[in-house]
Amino acid sequence: GRRLHIEGKRHEILKKEKETFLNEDFTSGSVSDVIQKRAKEISKITEDPLLEIAIVESLKMTKPKGQADAPATSTIKGYGAVLKKFVEFLKKEKIDFYDVTENNIRDFFKRTGKELSDLTPTNVSAIKNLYKWMASKRGFNLTSDPALFLDQVFSAYNKRAKLKKKNLPPTQKFHK
């Protein structure tokens, strides 16, 4: 069974905040509206209030790297799509999201047709953020983060990107 590493009072606050967020009337097409719609879609799949809280909170904490601004709605849509597929995978495999292991995450990516060497930060950020939030003190304070290994994807991707820098020919001046 699950063992939350938070106080019951904190759990109740998170539940109430999620319900308030899901019932709020946001401007159509706004980031909050996109998060709300995706969370409602996912809640139909899982019917797990804890997972719903984690999805909403991890999407709400999504920010562009190095910026305090809200993410683009396209980012939230992309992350939401990955999380929806992940939740469908967990349901099909009868795995509780709270008990996910590193191997479960690896299996998920393999089933989506991606080997670990093919992954990019875009592919893994949604799941990484989900478990990062869950492992945080603001979240469920998990004792371990099964998605921590995904940091390696970022490192490998950055190394590959540096190696792939294009060697463009030097600029030339054109005279009429």
Side-chain angles (χ1 to χ4, degrees):
R2 292 181 177 163
R3 216 172 122 68
L4 288 179
H5 299 280
I6 58 173
E7 295 177 14
K9 185 177 175 182
R10 172 78 177 128
H11 177 249
E12 290 304 315
I13 290 169
L14 288 170
K15 265 181 27 180
K16 186 176 179 182
E17 286 175 356
K18 180 207 54 149
E19 287 305 318
T20 300
F21 181 83
L22 290 180
N23 292 313
E24 200 163 323
D25 191 21
F26 295 109
T27 304
S28 182
S30 68
V31 169
S32 294
D33 180 55
V34 173
I35 292 171
Q36 184 186 64
K37 285 178 180 166
R38 186 58 79 172
K40 286 179 178 181
E41 280 179 33
I42 292 171
S43 70
K44 289 176 186 172
I45 299 166
T46 180
E47 298 174 7
D48 183 335
L50 290 176
L51 180 54
E52 292 171 16
I53 291 168
I55 297 277
V56 167
E57 293 300 324
S58 70
L59 288 174
K60 282 171 43 180
M61 75 174 223
T62 301
K63 304 240 183 297
K65 189 173 181 169
Q67 298 178 19
D69 299 341
T73 54
S74 59
T75 301
I76 295 298
K77 286 178 182 177
Y79 282 23
V82 171
L83 291 174
K84 183 178 177 187
K85 288 178 188 171
F86 186 60
V87 169
E88 289 169 341
F89 164 80
L90 294 177
K91 184 173 182 173
K92 182 180 176 209
E93 298 298 316
K94 296 180 174 60
I95 300 168
D96 188 313
F97 83 101
Y98 206 75
D99 298 325
V100 165
T101 65
E102 184 177 314
N103 285 335
N104 298 140
I105 295 171
R106 289 176 193 272
D107 288 345
F108 165 72
F109 285 116
K110 284 180 184 172
R111 298 249 176 94
T112 60
K114 298 196 182 304
E115 292 298 321
L116 286 179
S117 60
D118 300 329
L119 294 175
T120 66
T122 304
N123 303 131
V124 302
S125 291
I127 294 172
K128 184 177 178 293
N129 286 354
L130 175 68
Y131 284 99
K132 182 178 181 179
W133 180 83
M134 287 175 53
S136 74
K137 295 206 182 305
R138 289 184 326 245
F140 296 149
N141 206 17
L142 289 181
T143 53
S144 66
D145 178 350
L148 200 55
F149 79 99
L150 294 175
D151 285 337
Q152 297 166 5
V153 170
F154 285 80
S155 298
Y157 179 81
N158 290 334
K159 284 179 186 172
R160 285 193 311 263
K162 284 178 185 174
L163 293 174
K164 287 183 180 179
K165 279 189 178 176
K166 294 184 175 144
N167 293 323
L168 299 174
T171 56
Q172 297 177 1
K173 291 182 182 177
F174 293 97
H175 299 285
K176 286 187 176 182

